[in-house]
Structures are given as structure tokens and as C-alpha cells.
Amino acid sequence: MRQVVVFGLGKELYGIDIFDLQEIIRMMEITHIPRAPHFIEGVINLRGRIIPVIDLKKRFGLADGEITRDSRIIVVNIDETTAGLIVDYVTEVAALEEEDLEKPPEALTIDARFIHGLAKMGDNIVILIKTSEILNVAEKDQLKNFSKEDTYEKAEGN
């Protein structure tokens, strides 16, 4: 059995493994960083920690949506870097049985390495994503630069 947090981006449902999750928070003020990669919305101050925030819709090439009262930031670990993922809404934590899981079709896996599989939940299909594969190696390096606590000191030359 696998537990996943199920969330929505537009009309589609996605899920991430509960073990990749740190917490789910309401939308908060995001500080936009000039010349940041297109998918990094900015950074937030989460209890004294600077956390980069990724707009998953932009990252996945989906139509931009507006931030609503249901929008959330899912705080996750991406290869030892903490990041926030903007999602339209969170529905539940679901327990999935192995027989409900399927590998993605071969045609999808070429351009969507982040898709771990597909899960059947009643009449719905949940696209399971691997947080470690949301970004490529170069993008992960960019993300690390946004979350380093000593970035300010390096910029100042101290």
C-alpha cells in the first residue's frame, strides 16, 4: 500500500508520495526574484527559512491559472532541497493498493520522466509524480542557489 497526497492542477488530479511531503500551507506572499527561471514563482519566508516556490502549472507546460482561496503550497524535498509547489487545490491523502497502480504508457515516458505511474481512484485517474524528477539537473542546481541560507553572505563577499 502506498500513501499519496492528491492535488489538482486544472481538471487533472496528481499525487505525490507522502514521504516526499513536509507540509501543506495556504498561499502566502511570494517575493518575485528578477531573472529567475520561468517556473520559479519566487521565494517565501517559511518560519525563517527562505524556500523557493515552483509553479507546477508553468513547469508542466499547462495553462496558467489564477490563485484562489483553494490554492496551496505543498512543501516537498527535491533531492535534499526544500521547495514549495503551487497547486490549485489539495483533495486528500489516499491509500493506494498496488493493483490500482499502473506504469505510464510508453509514449508518455519520453518527455515526462517525472510521471511515476497512474493510479485508479474510483472513476478518476491520478497521475503520480516523482518529486526528484520534476526538475532536470541544471534546474536542480538553480533551485539550490535559491534556497541556500548563505546566498546573501556570498553576494556580499563575506
Side-chain angles (χ1 to χ4, degrees), residues 51-158:
I51 308 284
V53 177
I54 297 169
D55 185 328
L56 270 189
K57 281 188 167 179
K58 288 181 183 175
R59 181 65 193 110
F60 291 168
L62 303 173
D64 286 346
E66 61 183 65
I67 301 299
T68 68
R69 290 181 33 189
D70 294 328
S71 298
R72 297 290 183 264
I73 298 174
I74 299 176
V75 181
V76 298
N77 293 312
I78 300 177
D79 286 355
E80 300 177 20
T81 300
T82 302
L85 306 175
I86 298 175
V87 301
D88 291 340
Y89 54 92
V90 175
T91 62
E92 63 185 301
V93 174
L96 301 175
E97 300 292 339
E98 291 303 318
E99 60 264 15
D100 293 329
L101 306 176
E102 292 188 21
K103 294 274 185 215
E106 289 292 323
L108 293 179
T109 57
I110 295 169
D111 200 28
R113 69 186 182 282
F114 58 85
I115 296 178
H116 179 65
L118 303 172
K120 295 173 277 194
M121 285 182 54
D123 292 336
N124 297 317
I125 293 176
V126 177
I127 302 166
L128 302 176
I129 60 174
K130 294 185 270 189
T131 56
S132 63
E133 297 294 327
I134 291 173
L135 306 176
N136 65 35
V137 173
E139 292 166 339
K140 288 177 186 177
D141 287 342
Q142 290 176 316
L143 188 67
K144 285 180 186 173
N145 289 334
F146 277 93
S147 62
K148 286 185 179 171
E149 293 179 16
D150 60 347
T151 301
Y152 178 75
E153 291 175 5
K154 285 182 180 177
E156 293 293 311
N158 294 334

